[in-house]
Amino acid sequence: MKKIEFYRHNIGEQEIKAVTETLQNIFITTGPKTRLFEKEFAAYLGAKHCIGVTSWTIGAFLVLKAWGIGPGDEVIVPAMTFIATPNVILHCGATPVFVDSERSTGNIDVNKIEEKISPRTKAIIPVHLYGQMADMTAIRTLAQKHGLRVLEDAAHCIEGTRNGHRPGHLSEAACFSFYATKNITCGEGGAIVTNDDELAEKLHLLRFHGMSKSAANRYYQTYQHWDMEILGYKANMTDIQASLLVPQLERIEETWKRKNEICRRYEEAFRAERIEFPVSLTDSKPARHLFTVWAPRGKRDSILVALQEKGIGVAVNFRAVHLLSFFRKHFGLKSGDFPVAEEIGDRTISIPMYPKLSHEEIEYILDTVIKTFQSKE
Ligand SMILES: *Cc1c(COP(=O)(O)O)cnc(C)c1O
């Protein structure tokens, strides 16, 4: 029996050549390649600054730290996300305050945010789930009204737009992931984009021990003593990571077109069989990071096993975060608190969706998913 992997990355000859070149250079840590990637990534997103880091998680943590978020503060997050989103708030000593999802897309329900805002609320972290952007226009209006900052979790959304806006346009900062299964990858990596000069400067310090000069600054200029201005961390992207990312970024639109074709084929076939999936909004260009279908109630786990037995790699993105043991235990959260996120979390199945899928594989996936759903109804 053939096996269709859940995901296969898009690293090829260009990336191998680029990384080999870097390994032959003097600089393998943060240097000219990192700078090049940061410049190109900022340009692609139409942002003023990009700061390359080692993961989404550390990047988002540094943004919250730069804003001084700490004990006693609250930050609003959707219940339907990956655990990294609330975890960075916890690492700052602050409290994540969850909000339910909208039924159509799974994104944060903007009508349910305001009731969660308290005098302790400092920021909102919307997540662009599966690559489709949350309603940033509404979120920005709310944030301005209540004096809150917004950090976009754009781990799924590099290529996406909504009403012509990209991640980073309607917020103080957007954070991206280059983890192994993300839209472009270097195994592990991340980046923050922002138009805020002061925040960018602070993030540069925070990602490198709070040091005023990086190793590359010291190498390329005559010797200057560095100073430690603030207590920082160690999160700088390396030239090895950046050289893997540059060619993928240059091909990103071409890659997106292929993913979009696959998604449209899936959508058309599933719609014909009345299989449910998150809607694609007409005012949006979805980044097409994940394709998920919603199983009949109570049937998700048996369908997951059935698809695996037929050689199809599957994933669950995600079970509602507030029902995981840690959040139940420490925040007293329970079933029924966020019913829409819970329903999506109980029904969602992510199926393979990436440019390397062949026509035969796509048709096999469609046929198998449809038959499996019908057999479980
Ligand atoms: C992958 C992911 C993250 C974490 O990214 P890392 O680079 O692994 O830290 C955060 N949020 C969402 C929604 C993700 O899918």
Side-chain angles (χ1 to χ4, degrees):
M1 189 190 62
K2 65 174 166 187
K3 165 116 173 72
I4 304 176
E5 300 293 347
F6 177 68
Y7 187 73
R8 277 179 285 162
H9 64 66
N10 217 11
I11 289 172
E13 288 308 316
Q14 284 176 296
E15 286 75 20
I16 293 168
K17 191 164 162 269
V19 85
T20 306
E21 267 170 33
T22 296
L23 293 174
Q24 287 160 345
N25 286 347
I26 181 111
F27 254 91
I28 55 173
T29 181
T30 314
K33 289 282 165 63
T34 304
R35 226 83 70 218
L36 174 68
F37 173 71
E38 288 173 337
K39 196 166 147 260
E40 292 191 356
F41 198 67
Y44 177 78
L45 285 149
K48 205 164 163 192
H49 305 282
C50 170
I51 298 96
V53 288
T54 45
S55 67
W56 181 97
T57 304
I58 191 73
F61 171 75
L62 295 184
V63 172
L64 299 184
K65 276 284 174 189
W67 289 342
I69 287 173
D73 294 336
E74 294 176 356
V75 178
I76 290 175
V77 281
M80 176 43 60
T81 185
F82 181 57
I83 48 172
T85 325
N87 285 0
V88 294
I89 302 164
L90 292 167
H91 285 308
C92 292
T95 305
V97 173
F98 294 103
V99 171
D100 208 357
S101 305
E102 59 183 12
R103 191 73 191 76
S104 54
T105 64
N107 271 325
I108 191 166
D109 186 339
V110 293
N111 298 313
K112 292 181 183 153
I113 294 176
E114 200 157 28
E115 66 202 51
K116 299 285 178 163
I117 296 174
S118 83
R120 291 164 176 260
T121 310
K122 291 285 160 20
I124 308 173
I125 312 184
V127 179
H128 304 316
L129 197 64
Y130 314 134
Q132 180 154 252
M133 285 180 72
D135 186 349
M136 287 305 300
T137 310
I139 291 167
R140 185 188 179 80
T141 304
L142 274 175
Q144 284 177 340
K145 180 173 162 196
H146 294 276
L148 308 177
R149 288 172 163 131
V150 180
L151 165 63
E152 290 171 75
D153 180 340
H156 296 181
C157 188
I158 301 171
E159 308 95 314
T161 66
R162 183 163 178 170
N163 289 313
H165 291 292
R166 290 180 174 279
H169 287 191
L170 298 176
S171 65
E172 279 68 32
C175 195
F176 298 83
S177 172
F178 310 125
Y179 172 71
T181 58
K182 299 288 159 63
N183 284 0
I184 63 174
T185 181
C186 54
E188 300 283 356
I192 306 144
V193 301
T194 180
N195 293 321
D196 180 338
D197 298 341
E198 210 175 303
L199 177 63
E201 201 182 312
K202 194 131 191 215
L203 291 171
H204 274 115
L205 289 173
L206 284 173
R207 83 166 173 185
F208 199 71
H209 299 298
M211 264 171 75
S212 58
K213 299 265 182 301
S214 73
N217 284 146
R218 284 178 282 132
Y219 179 80
Y220 288 110
Q221 293 159 14
T222 52
Y223 194 87
Q224 294 168 359
H225 289 295
W226 49 264
D227 189 17
M228 178 175 140
E229 297 172 15
I230 55 173
L231 178 61
Y233 299 84
K234 187 67 166 68
N236 49 306
M237 177 180 275
T238 70
D239 274 20
I240 299 172
Q241 290 169 305
S243 49
L244 284 168
L245 295 170
V246 168
Q248 292 177 75
L249 182 59
E250 286 166 358
R251 291 198 308 271
I252 198 165
E253 284 302 312
E254 198 185 303
T255 311
W256 178 85
K257 282 200 187 92
R258 180 65 192 137
K259 288 189 298 180
N260 196 45
E261 276 167 18
I262 297 170
C263 289
R264 291 194 162 200
R265 174 77 190 106
Y266 282 170
E267 287 174 351
E268 170 200 57
F270 291 141
R271 206 174 286 124
E273 301 295 335
R274 300 184 191 290
I275 290 177
E276 291 180 90
F277 52 86
V279 303
S280 287
L281 300 169
T282 51
D283 64 353
S284 296
K285 172 193 173 191
R288 300 302 197 184
H289 171 54
L290 289 165
F291 194 95
T292 106
V293 285
W294 291 330
R297 287 176 184 78
K299 301 286 162 50
R300 195 264 310 278
D301 291 357
S302 65
I303 293 180
L304 280 177
V305 174
L307 291 175
Q308 276 185 324
E309 282 170 357
K310 288 175 183 135
I312 297 176
V314 285
V316 172
N317 307 96
F318 303 93
R319 290 191 296 153
V321 162
H322 69 285
L323 296 183
L324 301 175
S325 304
F326 179 90
F327 294 96
R328 285 181 188 263
K329 187 171 153 202
H330 293 279
F331 297 94
L333 297 164
K334 57 188 185 314
S335 279
D337 286 346
F338 305 105
V340 181
E342 288 167 25
E343 189 187 330
I344 294 171
D346 287 343
R347 295 178 60 196
T348 190
I349 299 176
S350 301
I351 59 173
M353 193 280 289
Y354 45 89
K356 282 187 175 161
L357 284 176
S358 68
H359 176 74
E360 290 68 35
E361 286 174 324
I362 292 165
E363 296 308 311
Y364 176 76
I365 292 165
L366 274 176
D367 190 57
T368 311
V369 170
I370 290 166
K371 283 189 181 134
T372 309
F373 269 55
Q374 283 165 351
S375 74
K376 303 279 176 180
E377 262 166 18

